[in-house]
Amino acid sequence: MTTSTMVTQLSQTCMIGSTYRENCINHKNLPVQVLELQLSPSQASMLKVCNNFSCMSVSHSNSISSMVLATNNRHARLNQGIHASHMGRNTSFRKVGVGEMQIDHNLEVQQRQQAALDFVVPKYTPPFPYKLNPKVEEANEAALIWFAHHFGSHMSPENFQNICLENPHYLAGAIYPEAPISRLEFAIEFVIWLFVVDDESLLQRSTLEELVQFQQEIQGVIMSTFPQDKSLQDNLQKCLNDERAHAYTKGFFENVLAQATTKPLLETDSNDHRSLSPVASSFRDLWIRATSRMSKEWTLRFAKILQRDVFANFLESQNLRHDVNPSLSSYIPERRKSGLMESYIVLIEFLQDVSLPNTLYYSAPMQRLREATVDAVCWNNDIWSFPKELVAGEVANLVFLISKEEGCSYNKAAEIVTQMLVDKCKEMQLAALELKEYCKIHEATTTQMVAVDHYISCCNHWVSGSHVFHSQSARFQVVQA
């Protein structure tokens, strides 16, 4: 029996995740069976690739590292994928009122674990159909080679395997079920890159200096395409003007401009091209492949979205490092940016080979469609990620903020967020109708209408595809109602 078959059969009755360090959740009283799962052909290829890049030991060539299958206990289905670096944080919670928690360093980790174990994901079915790209497994083989090439020798075997076992290709394949295989490979690689950025930043695997460095490098790559473009410079400066950024951005703007103008970061074939960190180098590869095929109008749009969202993600990571707790009113608009969702949505033009002018992209109904989609996906993510974030001591989560605002339990707050999801999906459907009517009134061309249809489809697939991904991926395995 292949690993994939076994995982499918067990997914409804047990918790599946990699073996982690000693400071991971310790379900002492659970019946646990440790199995050596045989590799499927694609996983064998993955480990072979990884070994070529000095990421994994040759001893792993015949079996995956031990996977823990804990059964017959509802608590066992809490996400075992809580990363060790999260669990190692010296923080805990103190209950101070109904639905409200604050950091208290005197309580034991087990008390936070119990609060997370009591959390139940509400039942929810998106109104949009789920579809998976039939080429997803084939495309994933090439994506894993790309992943190993850029990160294999720079990432621990455990962290590398964690991302592989989270199956990011199923998220990309569900968002873009119609994409041709060459573009699907890119989509998977971009999801992997987003996972790495999220984990390196939010799990505090990188130092502040390293985070600032690859922020400067990423922003430099973006600026290098149009180093003299005033709109890009102004857009970056606007990001840096955020008062939360002042402690980290001394000389940031000047360094980015210097990189973009004096040391071209895009000249990868030049003998004097600048060496980049793995996160920035992999981003440069993705950036060049996408922008080289697209118009200046689309590239500038993509650049401005990335400038804003990548920097917002960085600021969120610093809030976590310094226990800065957001308010509910500030969280929702910031979440739209820090999740990097819009940067992935706008890729639909590259992935499906369509083009939409700025007049349509920035139209009011299109903006409502994008915002409703981003909210729906990010809020659903907050529900599924809440238990591990609770254990980690993080409060930047809509479930936590609703609970605090309404003075209710976490399970009740999750039900409120779920109803918000339902309402957002209705907003999406209404915005899609308004967008099509807008196109008719403004006499959009047939080509533009095709692009609009792809955008609407992409938004729908994001909601249904990400929901299924959250319910099945080792990244988010929690108790479900």
Side-chain angles (χ1 to χ4, degrees):
M1 181 183 297
T2 66
T3 300
S4 57
T5 302
M6 186 178 295
V7 167
T8 300
Q9 292 180 356
L10 293 170
S11 62
Q12 300 303 315
T13 58
C14 68
M15 178 278 303
I16 301 174
S18 296
T19 301
Y20 290 82
R21 297 190 183 97
E22 292 179 357
N23 60 349
C24 188
I25 288 180
N26 180 21
H27 301 284
K28 293 182 179 180
N29 299 321
L30 299 182
V32 176
Q33 180 182 14
V34 179
L35 302 176
E36 289 289 328
L37 302 182
Q38 296 302 307
L39 293 178
S40 67
S42 62
Q43 290 167 325
S45 299
M46 181 267 284
L47 291 181
K48 182 178 180 181
V49 168
C50 296
N51 188 56
N52 290 339
F53 288 95
S54 303
C55 176
M56 298 180 183
S57 168
V58 177
S59 64
H60 291 154
S61 61
N62 293 323
S63 64
I64 297 180
S65 59
S66 295
M67 302 184 74
V68 178
L69 305 182
T71 60
N72 302 324
N73 190 303
R74 100 183 245 280
H75 287 173
R77 297 185 62 188
L78 175 69
N79 177 24
Q80 183 75 348
I82 296 175
H83 295 274
S85 57
H86 258 159
M87 298 301 298
R89 293 175 63 179
N90 187 26
T91 59
S92 56
F93 289 109
R94 172 175 59 87
K95 284 191 176 181
V96 296
V98 178
E100 182 177 354
M101 281 189 171
Q102 294 181 345
I103 300 301
D104 185 336
H105 298 275
N106 297 320
L107 297 183
E108 297 296 326
V109 171
Q110 285 82 354
Q111 291 176 275
R112 288 184 279 132
Q113 292 172 4
Q114 188 59 53
L117 289 169
D118 291 337
F119 181 76
V120 179
V121 174
K123 290 182 178 180
Y124 164 68
T125 302
F128 312 112
Y130 173 81
K131 184 178 181 181
L132 187 65
N133 194 306
K135 298 291 186 180
V136 67
E137 297 292 352
E138 184 179 351
N140 190 47
E141 293 182 8
L144 287 175
I145 293 174
W146 178 90
F147 184 28
H149 172 73
H150 286 283
F151 295 99
S153 60
H154 301 281
M155 184 179 288
S156 73
E158 179 188 25
N159 292 342
F160 191 99
Q161 290 180 62
N162 286 346
I163 290 181
C164 291
L165 292 172
E166 288 166 356
N167 293 326
H169 59 300
Y170 289 139
L171 177 58
I175 298 169
Y176 299 110
E178 309 295 340
I181 187 168
S182 60
R183 301 297 173 90
L184 181 59
E185 291 170 6
F186 181 98
I188 297 171
E189 291 159 10
F190 196 73
V191 171
I192 290 173
W193 184 81
L194 292 177
F195 278 17
V196 171
V197 169
D198 201 43
D199 289 353
E200 292 299 308
S201 298
L202 302 186
L203 300 186
Q204 302 186 26
R205 291 178 183 154
S206 300
T207 65
L208 175 59
E209 292 73 19
E210 290 171 334
L211 290 173
V212 172
Q213 176 192 347
F214 77 64
Q215 271 290 323
Q216 289 181 341
E217 291 174 341
I218 291 170
Q219 300 291 353
V221 169
I222 295 171
M223 289 288 296
S224 292
T225 303
F226 306 109
Q228 305 302 328
D229 189 273
K230 188 66 165 56
S231 65
L232 280 184
Q233 294 181 16
D234 291 345
N235 193 60
L236 178 57
Q237 191 64 66
K238 181 180 179 181
C239 296
L240 300 178
N241 287 339
D242 189 311
E243 61 181 15
R244 298 170 299 166
H246 292 168
Y248 316 112
T249 56
K250 184 178 181 180
F252 191 104
F253 185 73
E254 292 75 14
N255 290 338
V256 169
L257 287 184
Q259 287 180 131
T261 57
T262 63
K263 295 181 178 179
L265 299 181
L266 304 184
E267 296 181 4
T268 56
D269 296 329
S270 172
N271 291 330
D272 61 349
H273 78 273
R274 181 182 175 86
S275 177
L276 299 175
S277 64
V279 174
S281 177
S282 56
F283 172 76
R284 174 175 61 187
D285 174 72
L286 295 169
W287 175 263
I288 292 174
R289 287 159 58 194
T291 59
S292 63
R293 295 172 177 264
M294 301 300 289
S295 67
K296 179 179 179 180
E297 182 180 49
W298 180 88
T299 300
L300 283 172
R301 183 195 310 158
F302 188 41
K304 292 173 183 177
I305 294 169
L306 279 170
Q307 280 182 323
R308 178 198 69 194
D309 292 0
V310 170
F311 201 78
N313 182 270
F314 167 73
L315 291 180
E316 181 188 13
S317 72
Q318 298 318 301
N319 286 345
L320 290 176
R321 284 171 181 264
H322 300 287
D323 294 324
V324 178
N325 301 338
S327 64
L328 180 60
S329 60
S330 67
Y331 176 77
I332 290 177
E334 286 301 314
R335 184 71 167 92
R336 291 172 183 155
K337 296 181 289 187
S338 63
L340 285 89
M341 269 282 300
E342 188 176 351
S343 61
Y344 208 97
I345 290 176
V346 77
L347 275 173
I348 187 64
E349 294 182 47
F350 166 69
L351 296 173
Q352 295 288 173
D353 197 22
V354 295
S355 179
L356 197 68
N358 283 339
T359 53
L360 278 176
Y361 185 83
Y362 292 111
S363 65
M366 175 65 89
Q367 182 175 338
R368 285 194 291 272
L369 175 63
R370 291 197 312 273
E371 286 190 357
T373 303
V374 172
D375 285 346
V377 173
C378 289
W379 298 351
N380 198 22
N381 172 269
D382 279 6
I383 293 174
W384 285 97
S385 63
F386 178 73
K388 73 174 185 179
E389 291 178 0
L390 179 62
V391 171
E394 298 174 10
V395 297
N397 184 292
L398 190 58
V399 174
F400 178 88
L401 296 174
I402 291 288
S403 174
K404 182 177 180 180
E405 184 83 7
E406 298 295 325
C408 62
S409 69
Y410 295 129
N411 284 333
K412 178 60 178 178
E415 292 174 2
I416 294 173
V417 176
T418 300
Q419 183 57 52
M420 292 168 63
L421 285 178
V422 172
D423 294 339
K424 277 296 173 181
C425 288
K426 293 178 181 178
E427 286 185 33
M428 288 176 59
Q429 292 169 317
L430 179 60
L433 294 174
E434 292 175 345
L435 179 57
K436 289 188 174 184
E437 184 63 26
Y438 180 92
C439 290
K440 291 179 182 179
I441 294 173
H442 291 81
E443 299 181 342
T445 66
T446 301
T447 301
Q448 291 170 349
M449 287 300 299
V450 170
V452 166
D453 286 341
H454 275 297
Y455 265 103
I456 294 173
S457 178
C458 174
C459 290
N460 294 347
H461 288 312
W462 247 116
V463 173
S464 59
S466 65
H467 179 71
V468 172
F469 173 76
H470 279 79
S471 68
Q472 296 181 351
S473 173
R475 198 174 179 91
F476 309 96
Q477 283 294 322
V478 296
V479 179
Q480 190 170 15

